[in-house]
Amino acid sequence: MKDHPKGLPILFFTEMWERFSYYGMRAILVLYVTEQTISANPGLGWSKADALSLYGWYTMFVYVMSIPGGILADKWLGQKKTVLLGGILIAAGELLLAMQGLTFFYSGLTLLVLGVGALKPNISTMVGGLYKQGDPMRDKGFTIFYIGINIGAATSPLLVGYVGEVYGWHYGFLLAGIGMILGLFVYMWGQKFLKDVGNVVTVKKVEGTNKHVPLTREEKDRIIVMLISFLIVIVFWGAYEQAGGLMNLYTKEKINRVVLGWEIPTSMFQSVPAFFVILLGVPVANYWVKRYKMGKETSSLFKMAVGTMVMGTGFFMMTAAAWQAEETGQAMLIWLILSYLLQVIGELSASPVALSFITKLAPARYASIMMGIYFAATGLGNKLAGMVGALAENAGEFEVFTGIFLFTTLFGVLLLLMLKPLKRLTHGAEELTPESAA
Ligand code: GLN
C-alpha cells in the first residue's frame, strides 16, 4: 500500500470493519429468526420461508438505500460526512439488535438499512477521489480496498457466527456492533489523511441565473454507458449471490463435507469465496496489468464481460456436482471449491473494476448518486439471485446451475460483440493519462 495515497489505509480499515459488521450480522440473521422461541438460545420462531423472504428484502434494501445515500452526499453533506453518519447509524442498529424484543429488532434493521445506504456507496466513491484522473494506480487501489472488504467478510461469519450460536444471538449482534465502532474510531482518527477527499462539490451556475450548468454531450454519453453496465451488474450478482442461498443449501444436502473423518459445518463454506478474494486479489489485478502492458484489450467493460463469463463457468462445476449427485447420491467437495474459485476470479475481474469505472466516468457532482445506483443494481441482483435459486425447488438444481452457466456465457459473448460501440460512449475516459487529464 506504500505507493498509494495515505487515505487508502484509513478507508480500507473503516470498510473492513463495516463489512465485518454487515456479513457477521447477515450470517446469523436467518438462524436467529428461525430458531424456536423456547430453546436454550431462543429466536423469533419464524418459518423458513418467512425468514428467507426477510433475508431477500433486507439484502436488497441495504443496497437500494445507496441511492438516497448518494443523493444526500452529492447535494448536502459530501461523502465524508455521510460515511460518518452511516457508520453511526449502523453501530446504533446493531446495538438495538443486541437487545431483546421485536421493536428493537425492526428498528435495528431499519437503522442498518439506512446506515449501509449512507456508508457503502460513499466510501467507495471516496476511494476513487484519492486518485487523479488517469492515474493507473486507481484500479489497483480498488483491488486493495476490495481485499479489505473481504478480510471483514471472511472472518466475521466465523466469529460472529460462533458467538451468536454458542453464547447467544444478541451477543453476536453486539459483536457486529463493536466491529462497526472500531471502524468509526479508525475513520475519525484518520480524518487528517482525508482532507481533500469526500467534500461537497460546488456546482457551477449559469451566469446571471440560478440554473445549474447542464451536462455536456460527453457526460451524457458516459452516464448512458454506465447505466448499460449496470445491467451487467444485475446479471453478475444475480448469479454470484447464489452462494448464500441455493449453493449453501446444496452444500448442506448434497456435498460430501467429510474431510479426514471430520464433517465440516455448512456455514463455514460461506467464508471460502472471501478467502479466495484475499488470496487472489493481487495476482488477478497483476494479470490485467500485464495484459495492459502487452497492449491487449483491458477496458473495464471488457473485464466485466470476461469476469461474468469466468464466474459463470463456476456454475458449470456445480453442473458437474449435480450430475454426480444424481448418479451416486452425493457430490465431491472439489466441485464446490472449484466453483467458488472460478466465481471469485470472475468477481475480481468485474467487481472492483466496476467501482473504479464509475469513479472514472461519473461527472464529479453526480459521483455519489451514480455509485448509489450501482449498488442499487447489486441489490436487485441479490433479489434476483433469491428468485433464481427458488426455481430449483421445481426445476431441479442441475437445470438451474446449467441455466446460469449458459446464460452468463451467452450474455458475455453478446457484450464482447457490442464492446466497440459501448466503448465509444466512454469518450476515452479510461485512456487519459494524469498529464493529459490535468
Ligand atoms: N462483496 C462485495 C461487498 O460486500 C460486493 C457486494 C456488492 O457489490 N453488492 O462489498
Side-chain angles (χ1 to χ4, degrees), residues 140-188:
K140 268 216 158 162
F142 270 100
T143 297
I144 294 172
F145 179 69
Y146 210 75
I147 290 174
I149 287 176
N150 283 278
I151 295 176
T155 49
S156 68
L158 304 177
L159 286 172
V160 175
Y162 181 79
V163 170
E165 287 195 61
V166 176
Y167 295 99
W169 307 115
H170 298 282
Y171 288 108
F173 295 130
L174 179 65
L175 181 57
I178 292 174
M180 188 64 251
I181 290 170
L182 291 176
L184 279 170
F185 275 123
V186 174
Y187 190 64
M188 295 301 290

mmCIF file of all heavy atoms in Angstrom, residues 140-188:
data_model
loop_
_atom_site.group_PDB
_atom_site.id
_atom_site.type_symbol
_atom_site.label_atom_id
_atom_site.label_comp_id
_atom_site.label_asym_id
_atom_site.label_seq_id
_atom_site.Cartn_x
_atom_site.Cartn_y
_atom_site.Cartn_z
ATOM 1 N N LYS A 140 -5.787 -0.653 -9.087
ATOM 2 C CA LYS A 140 -5.096 -1.429 -8.040
ATOM 3 C C LYS A 140 -5.563 -0.992 -6.654
ATOM 4 O O LYS A 140 -5.722 -1.806 -5.748
ATOM 5 C CB LYS A 140 -3.580 -1.259 -8.164
ATOM 6 C CG LYS A 140 -2.944 -2.320 -9.025
ATOM 7 C CD LYS A 140 -1.591 -2.684 -8.466
ATOM 8 C CE LYS A 140 -1.186 -4.056 -8.948
ATOM 9 N NZ LYS A 140 0.230 -4.296 -8.818
ATOM 10 N N GLY A 141 -5.753 0.333 -6.507
ATOM 11 C CA GLY A 141 -6.263 0.857 -5.237
ATOM 12 C C GLY A 141 -7.599 0.218 -4.887
ATOM 13 O O GLY A 141 -7.838 -0.180 -3.745
ATOM 14 N N PHE A 142 -8.451 0.077 -5.893
ATOM 15 C CA PHE A 142 -9.751 -0.540 -5.640
ATOM 16 C C PHE A 142 -9.606 -2.022 -5.299
ATOM 17 O O PHE A 142 -10.373 -2.567 -4.511
ATOM 18 C CB PHE A 142 -10.692 -0.330 -6.831
ATOM 19 C CG PHE A 142 -11.500 0.933 -6.706
ATOM 20 C CD1 PHE A 142 -11.142 2.075 -7.387
ATOM 21 C CD2 PHE A 142 -12.598 0.992 -5.856
ATOM 22 C CE1 PHE A 142 -11.873 3.252 -7.248
ATOM 23 C CE2 PHE A 142 -13.335 2.155 -5.704
ATOM 24 C CZ PHE A 142 -12.974 3.289 -6.399
ATOM 25 N N THR A 143 -8.620 -2.666 -5.906
ATOM 26 C CA THR A 143 -8.408 -4.078 -5.577
ATOM 27 C C THR A 143 -7.975 -4.221 -4.122
ATOM 28 O O THR A 143 -8.462 -5.091 -3.394
ATOM 29 C CB THR A 143 -7.337 -4.690 -6.517
ATOM 30 O OG1 THR A 143 -7.842 -4.642 -7.841
ATOM 31 C CG2 THR A 143 -7.030 -6.122 -6.145
ATOM 32 N N ILE A 144 -7.082 -3.326 -3.688
ATOM 33 C CA ILE A 144 -6.638 -3.362 -2.286
ATOM 34 C C ILE A 144 -7.830 -3.133 -1.349
ATOM 35 O O ILE A 144 -8.045 -3.859 -0.380
ATOM 36 C CB ILE A 144 -5.537 -2.299 -2.047
ATOM 37 C CG1 ILE A 144 -4.295 -2.669 -2.847
ATOM 38 C CG2 ILE A 144 -5.208 -2.176 -0.558
ATOM 39 C CD1 ILE A 144 -3.211 -1.605 -2.835
ATOM 40 N N PHE A 145 -8.627 -2.119 -1.687
ATOM 41 C CA PHE A 145 -9.831 -1.807 -0.904
ATOM 42 C C PHE A 145 -10.743 -3.038 -0.849
ATOM 43 O O PHE A 145 -11.299 -3.385 0.199
ATOM 44 C CB PHE A 145 -10.524 -0.636 -1.601
ATOM 45 C CG PHE A 145 -11.801 -0.175 -0.960
ATOM 46 C CD1 PHE A 145 -11.794 0.455 0.272
ATOM 47 C CD2 PHE A 145 -13.023 -0.337 -1.616
ATOM 48 C CE1 PHE A 145 -12.976 0.916 0.855
ATOM 49 C CE2 PHE A 145 -14.201 0.117 -1.051
ATOM 50 C CZ PHE A 145 -14.182 0.741 0.190
ATOM 51 N N TYR A 146 -10.860 -3.727 -1.964
ATOM 52 C CA TYR A 146 -11.722 -4.908 -2.068
ATOM 53 C C TYR A 146 -11.209 -6.051 -1.187
ATOM 54 O O TYR A 146 -11.977 -6.827 -0.655
ATOM 55 C CB TYR A 146 -11.785 -5.335 -3.539
ATOM 56 C CG TYR A 146 -13.091 -5.994 -3.912
ATOM 57 C CD1 TYR A 146 -14.236 -5.230 -4.079
ATOM 58 C CD2 TYR A 146 -13.182 -7.370 -4.087
ATOM 59 C CE1 TYR A 146 -15.441 -5.820 -4.418
ATOM 60 C CE2 TYR A 146 -14.379 -7.969 -4.431
ATOM 61 C CZ TYR A 146 -15.505 -7.192 -4.599
ATOM 62 O OH TYR A 146 -16.694 -7.782 -4.930
ATOM 63 N N ILE A 147 -9.897 -6.113 -1.061
ATOM 64 C CA ILE A 147 -9.315 -7.137 -0.185
ATOM 65 C C ILE A 147 -9.708 -6.832 1.266
ATOM 66 O O ILE A 147 -10.069 -7.735 2.033
ATOM 67 C CB ILE A 147 -7.784 -7.205 -0.368
ATOM 68 C CG1 ILE A 147 -7.474 -7.795 -1.758
ATOM 69 C CG2 ILE A 147 -7.126 -8.052 0.721
ATOM 70 C CD1 ILE A 147 -6.011 -7.787 -2.138
ATOM 71 N N GLY A 148 -9.679 -5.543 1.628
ATOM 72 C CA GLY A 148 -10.115 -5.146 2.975
ATOM 73 C C GLY A 148 -11.545 -5.579 3.248
ATOM 74 O O GLY A 148 -11.849 -6.147 4.301
ATOM 75 N N ILE A 149 -12.412 -5.339 2.277
ATOM 76 C CA ILE A 149 -13.817 -5.750 2.388
ATOM 77 C C ILE A 149 -13.886 -7.229 2.742
ATOM 78 O O ILE A 149 -14.617 -7.666 3.627
ATOM 79 C CB ILE A 149 -14.540 -5.528 1.031
ATOM 80 C CG1 ILE A 149 -14.780 -4.051 0.794
ATOM 81 C CG2 ILE A 149 -15.823 -6.328 0.953
ATOM 82 C CD1 ILE A 149 -15.407 -3.716 -0.554
ATOM 83 N N ASN A 150 -13.061 -7.992 2.040
ATOM 84 C CA ASN A 150 -13.166 -9.448 2.180
ATOM 85 C C ASN A 150 -12.450 -10.004 3.397
ATOM 86 O O ASN A 150 -12.733 -11.125 3.816
ATOM 87 C CB ASN A 150 -12.745 -10.130 0.889
ATOM 88 C CG ASN A 150 -13.852 -10.017 -0.142
ATOM 89 O OD1 ASN A 150 -14.793 -10.791 -0.117
ATOM 90 N ND2 ASN A 150 -13.784 -9.005 -0.990
ATOM 91 N N ILE A 151 -11.537 -9.227 3.977
ATOM 92 C CA ILE A 151 -10.970 -9.661 5.265
ATOM 93 C C ILE A 151 -12.102 -9.609 6.304
ATOM 94 O O ILE A 151 -12.296 -10.539 7.089
ATOM 95 C CB ILE A 151 -9.773 -8.780 5.686
ATOM 96 C CG1 ILE A 151 -8.626 -8.964 4.690
ATOM 97 C CG2 ILE A 151 -9.308 -9.141 7.103
ATOM 98 C CD1 ILE A 151 -7.414 -8.067 4.936
ATOM 99 N N GLY A 152 -12.877 -8.530 6.245
ATOM 100 C CA GLY A 152 -14.049 -8.434 7.127
ATOM 101 C C GLY A 152 -15.046 -9.549 6.830
ATOM 102 O O GLY A 152 -15.567 -10.197 7.742
ATOM 103 N N ALA A 153 -15.299 -9.782 5.529
ATOM 104 C CA ALA A 153 -16.321 -10.754 5.145
ATOM 105 C C ALA A 153 -15.906 -12.193 5.446
ATOM 106 O O ALA A 153 -16.751 -13.057 5.674
ATOM 107 C CB ALA A 153 -16.625 -10.608 3.654
ATOM 108 N N ALA A 154 -14.600 -12.463 5.440
ATOM 109 C CA ALA A 154 -14.128 -13.838 5.663
ATOM 110 C C ALA A 154 -14.142 -14.191 7.149
ATOM 111 O O ALA A 154 -14.467 -15.314 7.529
ATOM 112 C CB ALA A 154 -12.708 -13.997 5.108
ATOM 113 N N THR A 155 -13.773 -13.233 7.984
ATOM 114 C CA THR A 155 -13.613 -13.558 9.405
ATOM 115 C C THR A 155 -14.923 -13.479 10.185
ATOM 116 O O THR A 155 -15.131 -14.239 11.120
ATOM 117 C CB THR A 155 -12.598 -12.592 10.056
ATOM 118 O OG1 THR A 155 -12.943 -11.255 9.694
ATOM 119 C CG2 THR A 155 -11.184 -12.889 9.594
ATOM 120 N N SER A 156 -15.820 -12.556 9.777
ATOM 121 C CA SER A 156 -16.982 -12.331 10.638
ATOM 122 C C SER A 156 -18.002 -13.465 10.682
ATOM 123 O O SER A 156 -18.523 -13.736 11.761
ATOM 124 C CB SER A 156 -17.658 -11.004 10.307
ATOM 125 O OG SER A 156 -18.237 -11.064 9.052
ATOM 126 N N PRO A 157 -18.289 -14.169 9.560
ATOM 127 C CA PRO A 157 -19.234 -15.283 9.725
ATOM 128 C C PRO A 157 -18.696 -16.308 10.725
ATOM 129 O O PRO A 157 -19.459 -16.925 11.471
ATOM 130 C CB PRO A 157 -19.339 -15.896 8.328
ATOM 131 C CG PRO A 157 -18.948 -14.802 7.419
ATOM 132 C CD PRO A 157 -17.912 -14.002 8.148
ATOM 133 N N LEU A 158 -17.360 -16.478 10.770
ATOM 134 C CA LEU A 158 -16.780 -17.449 11.704
ATOM 135 C C LEU A 158 -16.910 -16.934 13.145
ATOM 136 O O LEU A 158 -17.370 -17.649 14.029
ATOM 137 C CB LEU A 158 -15.302 -17.707 11.371
ATOM 138 C CG LEU A 158 -15.015 -18.180 9.946
ATOM 139 C CD1 LEU A 158 -13.512 -18.326 9.719
ATOM 140 C CD2 LEU A 158 -15.708 -19.513 9.658
ATOM 141 N N LEU A 159 -16.530 -15.669 13.371
ATOM 142 C CA LEU A 159 -16.523 -15.121 14.740
ATOM 143 C C LEU A 159 -17.926 -14.790 15.257
ATOM 144 O O LEU A 159 -18.345 -15.294 16.304
ATOM 145 C CB LEU A 159 -15.654 -13.862 14.789
ATOM 146 C CG LEU A 159 -14.159 -14.107 14.734
ATOM 147 C CD1 LEU A 159 -13.413 -12.790 14.582
ATOM 148 C CD2 LEU A 159 -13.696 -14.826 15.992
ATOM 149 N N VAL A 160 -18.627 -13.955 14.493
ATOM 150 C CA VAL A 160 -19.981 -13.574 14.924
ATOM 151 C C VAL A 160 -20.873 -14.823 14.944
ATOM 152 O O VAL A 160 -21.695 -14.997 15.841
ATOM 153 C CB VAL A 160 -20.571 -12.480 14.000
ATOM 154 C CG1 VAL A 160 -22.008 -12.172 14.355
ATOM 155 C CG2 VAL A 160 -19.719 -11.213 14.074
ATOM 156 N N GLY A 161 -20.689 -15.702 13.952
ATOM 157 C CA GLY A 161 -21.455 -16.944 13.901
ATOM 158 C C GLY A 161 -21.222 -17.777 15.157
ATOM 159 O O GLY A 161 -22.160 -18.260 15.794
ATOM 160 N N TYR A 162 -19.976 -17.901 15.549
ATOM 161 C CA TYR A 162 -19.642 -18.711 16.737
ATOM 162 C C TYR A 162 -20.244 -18.092 17.998
ATOM 163 O O TYR A 162 -20.949 -18.761 18.767
ATOM 164 C CB TYR A 162 -18.117 -18.816 16.868
ATOM 165 C CG TYR A 162 -17.685 -19.655 18.045
ATOM 166 C CD1 TYR A 162 -17.706 -21.058 17.970
ATOM 167 C CD2 TYR A 162 -17.292 -19.048 19.240
ATOM 168 C CE1 TYR A 162 -17.335 -21.822 19.055
ATOM 169 C CE2 TYR A 162 -16.916 -19.821 20.333
ATOM 170 C CZ TYR A 162 -16.933 -21.206 20.237
ATOM 171 O OH TYR A 162 -16.577 -21.981 21.312
ATOM 172 N N VAL A 163 -19.996 -16.802 18.183
ATOM 173 C CA VAL A 163 -20.517 -16.124 19.385
ATOM 174 C C VAL A 163 -22.050 -16.194 19.408
ATOM 175 O O VAL A 163 -22.660 -16.504 20.440
ATOM 176 C CB VAL A 163 -20.033 -14.652 19.428
ATOM 177 C CG1 VAL A 163 -20.740 -13.855 20.509
ATOM 178 C CG2 VAL A 163 -18.527 -14.611 19.647
ATOM 179 N N GLY A 164 -22.661 -15.943 18.254
ATOM 180 C CA GLY A 164 -24.125 -15.961 18.178
ATOM 181 C C GLY A 164 -24.696 -17.330 18.501
ATOM 182 O O GLY A 164 -25.663 -17.448 19.249
ATOM 183 N N GLU A 165 -24.094 -18.371 17.943
ATOM 184 C CA GLU A 165 -24.651 -19.717 18.137
ATOM 185 C C GLU A 165 -24.340 -20.279 19.509
ATOM 186 O O GLU A 165 -25.150 -20.966 20.104
ATOM 187 C CB GLU A 165 -24.113 -20.664 17.047
ATOM 188 C CG GLU A 165 -24.746 -20.386 15.697
ATOM 189 C CD GLU A 165 -24.513 -21.514 14.699
ATOM 190 O OE1 GLU A 165 -24.960 -22.631 14.963
ATOM 191 O OE2 GLU A 165 -23.857 -21.255 13.668
ATOM 192 N N VAL A 166 -23.151 -19.976 20.029
ATOM 193 C CA VAL A 166 -22.732 -20.596 21.288
ATOM 194 C C VAL A 166 -23.155 -19.758 22.502
ATOM 195 O O VAL A 166 -23.698 -20.281 23.466
ATOM 196 C CB VAL A 166 -21.206 -20.835 21.299
ATOM 197 C CG1 VAL A 166 -20.744 -21.381 22.645
ATOM 198 C CG2 VAL A 166 -20.840 -21.797 20.165
ATOM 199 N N TYR A 167 -22.944 -18.440 22.446
ATOM 200 C CA TYR A 167 -23.236 -17.600 23.625
ATOM 201 C C TYR A 167 -24.616 -16.947 23.578
ATOM 202 O O TYR A 167 -25.147 -16.516 24.596
ATOM 203 C CB TYR A 167 -22.164 -16.516 23.786
ATOM 204 C CG TYR A 167 -20.812 -17.096 24.099
ATOM 205 C CD1 TYR A 167 -19.860 -17.260 23.101
ATOM 206 C CD2 TYR A 167 -20.492 -17.526 25.392
ATOM 207 C CE1 TYR A 167 -18.624 -17.823 23.378
ATOM 208 C CE2 TYR A 167 -19.262 -18.084 25.680
ATOM 209 C CZ TYR A 167 -18.324 -18.232 24.660
ATOM 210 O OH TYR A 167 -17.115 -18.789 24.941
ATOM 211 N N GLY A 168 -25.158 -16.822 22.389
ATOM 212 C CA GLY A 168 -26.482 -16.187 22.258
ATOM 213 C C GLY A 168 -26.472 -15.220 21.100
ATOM 214 O O GLY A 168 -25.480 -14.520 20.877
ATOM 215 N N TRP A 169 -27.597 -15.193 20.368
ATOM 216 C CA TRP A 169 -27.692 -14.363 19.156
ATOM 217 C C TRP A 169 -27.375 -12.905 19.442
ATOM 218 O O TRP A 169 -26.711 -12.226 18.669
ATOM 219 C CB TRP A 169 -29.098 -14.451 18.548
ATOM 220 C CG TRP A 169 -29.541 -15.856 18.324
ATOM 221 C CD1 TRP A 169 -30.572 -16.511 18.941
ATOM 222 C CD2 TRP A 169 -28.956 -16.809 17.428
ATOM 223 N NE1 TRP A 169 -30.668 -17.796 18.485
ATOM 224 C CE2 TRP A 169 -29.695 -18.009 17.552
ATOM 225 C CE3 TRP A 169 -27.886 -16.773 16.524
ATOM 226 C CZ2 TRP A 169 -29.401 -19.158 16.824
ATOM 227 C CZ3 TRP A 169 -27.586 -17.919 15.797
ATOM 228 C CH2 TRP A 169 -28.329 -19.080 15.952
ATOM 229 N N HIS A 170 -27.899 -12.428 20.579
ATOM 230 C CA HIS A 170 -27.760 -10.994 20.867
ATOM 231 C C HIS A 170 -26.300 -10.605 21.089
ATOM 232 O O HIS A 170 -25.902 -9.486 20.788
ATOM 233 C CB HIS A 170 -28.658 -10.602 22.030
ATOM 234 C CG HIS A 170 -30.109 -10.833 21.704
ATOM 235 N ND1 HIS A 170 -30.830 -9.970 20.916
ATOM 236 C CD2 HIS A 170 -30.945 -11.867 21.984
ATOM 237 C CE1 HIS A 170 -32.057 -10.449 20.743
ATOM 238 N NE2 HIS A 170 -32.147 -11.607 21.393
ATOM 239 N N TYR A 171 -25.521 -11.550 21.615
ATOM 240 C CA TYR A 171 -24.081 -11.272 21.748
ATOM 241 C C TYR A 171 -23.419 -11.206 20.376
ATOM 242 O O TYR A 171 -22.470 -10.460 20.165
ATOM 243 C CB TYR A 171 -23.394 -12.320 22.625
ATOM 244 C CG TYR A 171 -23.756 -12.165 24.080
ATOM 245 C CD1 TYR A 171 -24.590 -13.088 24.714
ATOM 246 C CD2 TYR A 171 -23.290 -11.082 24.817
ATOM 247 C CE1 TYR A 171 -24.953 -12.943 26.045
ATOM 248 C CE2 TYR A 171 -23.648 -10.919 26.143
ATOM 249 C CZ TYR A 171 -24.475 -11.847 26.762
ATOM 250 O OH TYR A 171 -24.827 -11.670 28.054
ATOM 251 N N GLY A 172 -23.929 -12.004 19.459
ATOM 252 C CA GLY A 172 -23.420 -11.947 18.084
ATOM 253 C C GLY A 172 -23.652 -10.565 17.486
ATOM 254 O O GLY A 172 -22.741 -9.953 16.918
ATOM 255 N N PHE A 173 -24.883 -10.064 17.629
ATOM 256 C CA PHE A 173 -25.193 -8.723 17.100
ATOM 257 C C PHE A 173 -24.337 -7.669 17.800
ATOM 258 O O PHE A 173 -23.879 -6.713 17.176
ATOM 259 C CB PHE A 173 -26.683 -8.410 17.270
ATOM 260 C CG PHE A 173 -27.574 -9.314 16.447
ATOM 261 C CD1 PHE A 173 -28.669 -9.975 17.016
ATOM 262 C CD2 PHE A 173 -27.331 -9.518 15.094
ATOM 263 C CE1 PHE A 173 -29.487 -10.814 16.260
ATOM 264 C CE2 PHE A 173 -28.143 -10.349 14.321
ATOM 265 C CZ PHE A 173 -29.224 -10.998 14.907
ATOM 266 N N LEU A 174 -24.143 -7.863 19.099
ATOM 267 C CA LEU A 174 -23.308 -6.919 19.849
ATOM 268 C C LEU A 174 -21.890 -6.882 19.268
ATOM 269 O O LEU A 174 -21.309 -5.810 19.055
ATOM 270 C CB LEU A 174 -23.264 -7.331 21.327
ATOM 271 C CG LEU A 174 -22.413 -6.465 22.240
ATOM 272 C CD1 LEU A 174 -23.002 -5.061 22.338
ATOM 273 C CD2 LEU A 174 -22.315 -7.081 23.653
ATOM 274 N N LEU A 175 -21.356 -8.078 18.977
ATOM 275 C CA LEU A 175 -20.006 -8.146 18.399
ATOM 276 C C LEU A 175 -19.957 -7.427 17.045
ATOM 277 O O LEU A 175 -19.003 -6.692 16.743
ATOM 278 C CB LEU A 175 -19.581 -9.612 18.252
ATOM 279 C CG LEU A 175 -18.189 -9.856 17.683
ATOM 280 C CD1 LEU A 175 -17.120 -9.172 18.518
ATOM 281 C CD2 LEU A 175 -17.899 -11.363 17.612
ATOM 282 N N ALA A 176 -21.012 -7.612 16.255
ATOM 283 C CA ALA A 176 -21.078 -6.912 14.965
ATOM 284 C C ALA A 176 -21.066 -5.395 15.199
ATOM 285 O O ALA A 176 -20.424 -4.639 14.466
ATOM 286 C CB ALA A 176 -22.330 -7.323 14.199
ATOM 287 N N GLY A 177 -21.764 -4.956 16.235
ATOM 288 C CA GLY A 177 -21.799 -3.522 16.571
ATOM 289 C C GLY A 177 -20.436 -3.017 17.024
ATOM 290 O O GLY A 177 -20.005 -1.926 16.636
ATOM 291 N N ILE A 178 -19.752 -3.827 17.812
ATOM 292 C CA ILE A 178 -18.412 -3.426 18.283
ATOM 293 C C ILE A 178 -17.476 -3.268 17.075
ATOM 294 O O ILE A 178 -16.677 -2.341 17.006
ATOM 295 C CB ILE A 178 -17.867 -4.457 19.297
ATOM 296 C CG1 ILE A 178 -18.710 -4.376 20.581
ATOM 297 C CG2 ILE A 178 -16.392 -4.196 19.610
ATOM 298 C CD1 ILE A 178 -18.389 -5.437 21.611
ATOM 299 N N GLY A 179 -17.614 -4.167 16.110
ATOM 300 C CA GLY A 179 -16.811 -4.067 14.886
ATOM 301 C C GLY A 179 -16.998 -2.706 14.232
ATOM 302 O O GLY A 179 -16.033 -2.027 13.880
ATOM 303 N N MET A 180 -18.247 -2.295 14.084
ATOM 304 C CA MET A 180 -18.512 -1.009 13.426
ATOM 305 C C MET A 180 -17.952 0.149 14.250
ATOM 306 O O MET A 180 -17.440 1.130 13.694
ATOM 307 C CB MET A 180 -20.025 -0.833 13.206
ATOM 308 C CG MET A 180 -20.387 0.375 12.362
ATOM 309 S SD MET A 180 -19.792 0.308 10.653
ATOM 310 C CE MET A 180 -18.502 1.511 10.615
ATOM 311 N N ILE A 181 -18.035 0.027 15.585
ATOM 312 C CA ILE A 181 -17.499 1.107 16.432
ATOM 313 C C ILE A 181 -15.976 1.218 16.233
ATOM 314 O O ILE A 181 -15.428 2.318 16.113
ATOM 315 C CB ILE A 181 -17.868 0.858 17.915
ATOM 316 C CG1 ILE A 181 -19.383 1.058 18.079
ATOM 317 C CG2 ILE A 181 -17.112 1.805 18.835
ATOM 318 C CD1 ILE A 181 -19.955 0.631 19.408
ATOM 319 N N LEU A 182 -15.306 0.089 16.111
ATOM 320 C CA LEU A 182 -13.862 0.121 15.832
ATOM 321 C C LEU A 182 -13.585 0.816 14.496
ATOM 322 O O LEU A 182 -12.659 1.608 14.357
ATOM 323 C CB LEU A 182 -13.283 -1.302 15.813
ATOM 324 C CG LEU A 182 -13.249 -2.013 17.178
ATOM 325 C CD1 LEU A 182 -12.758 -3.448 17.019
ATOM 326 C CD2 LEU A 182 -12.347 -1.256 18.147
ATOM 327 N N GLY A 183 -14.435 0.514 13.515
ATOM 328 C CA GLY A 183 -14.305 1.169 12.213
ATOM 329 C C GLY A 183 -14.458 2.679 12.331
ATOM 330 O O GLY A 183 -13.730 3.443 11.690
ATOM 331 N N LEU A 184 -15.401 3.098 13.160
ATOM 332 C CA LEU A 184 -15.613 4.545 13.347
ATOM 333 C C LEU A 184 -14.396 5.201 13.990
ATOM 334 O O LEU A 184 -14.015 6.315 13.621
ATOM 335 C CB LEU A 184 -16.852 4.778 14.226
ATOM 336 C CG LEU A 184 -18.199 4.702 13.493
ATOM 337 C CD1 LEU A 184 -19.362 4.694 14.489
ATOM 338 C CD2 LEU A 184 -18.356 5.869 12.521
ATOM 339 N N PHE A 185 -13.779 4.508 14.937
ATOM 340 C CA PHE A 185 -12.553 5.043 15.551
ATOM 341 C C PHE A 185 -11.463 5.242 14.499
ATOM 342 O O PHE A 185 -10.823 6.289 14.444
ATOM 343 C CB PHE A 185 -12.034 4.103 16.649
ATOM 344 C CG PHE A 185 -12.700 4.356 17.979
ATOM 345 C CD1 PHE A 185 -13.377 3.347 18.646
ATOM 346 C CD2 PHE A 185 -12.636 5.619 18.575
ATOM 347 C CE1 PHE A 185 -14.004 3.580 19.867
ATOM 348 C CE2 PHE A 185 -13.254 5.861 19.799
ATOM 349 C CZ PHE A 185 -13.941 4.844 20.449
ATOM 350 N N VAL A 186 -11.266 4.232 13.666
ATOM 351 C CA VAL A 186 -10.250 4.348 12.607
ATOM 352 C C VAL A 186 -10.552 5.560 11.730
ATOM 353 O O VAL A 186 -9.683 6.369 11.417
ATOM 354 C CB VAL A 186 -10.243 3.079 11.714
ATOM 355 C CG1 VAL A 186 -9.298 3.256 10.534
ATOM 356 C CG2 VAL A 186 -9.891 1.842 12.512
ATOM 357 N N TYR A 187 -11.830 5.683 11.359
ATOM 358 C CA TYR A 187 -12.247 6.745 10.429
ATOM 359 C C TYR A 187 -12.023 8.122 11.044
ATOM 360 O O TYR A 187 -11.507 9.035 10.387
ATOM 361 C CB TYR A 187 -13.717 6.535 10.082
ATOM 362 C CG TYR A 187 -14.214 7.395 8.958
ATOM 363 C CD1 TYR A 187 -13.698 7.246 7.671
ATOM 364 C CD2 TYR A 187 -15.225 8.332 9.168
ATOM 365 C CE1 TYR A 187 -14.172 8.025 6.632
ATOM 366 C CE2 TYR A 187 -15.704 9.113 8.127
ATOM 367 C CZ TYR A 187 -15.175 8.954 6.861
ATOM 368 O OH TYR A 187 -15.640 9.722 5.825
ATOM 369 N N MET A 188 -12.399 8.279 12.307
ATOM 370 C CA MET A 188 -12.235 9.572 12.977
ATOM 371 C C MET A 188 -10.750 9.921 13.102
ATOM 372 O O MET A 188 -10.317 11.024 12.816
ATOM 373 C CB MET A 188 -12.853 9.542 14.386
ATOM 374 C CG MET A 188 -14.350 9.363 14.413
ATOM 375 S SD MET A 188 -15.187 10.656 13.538
ATOM 376 C CE MET A 188 -14.865 12.002 14.659
#
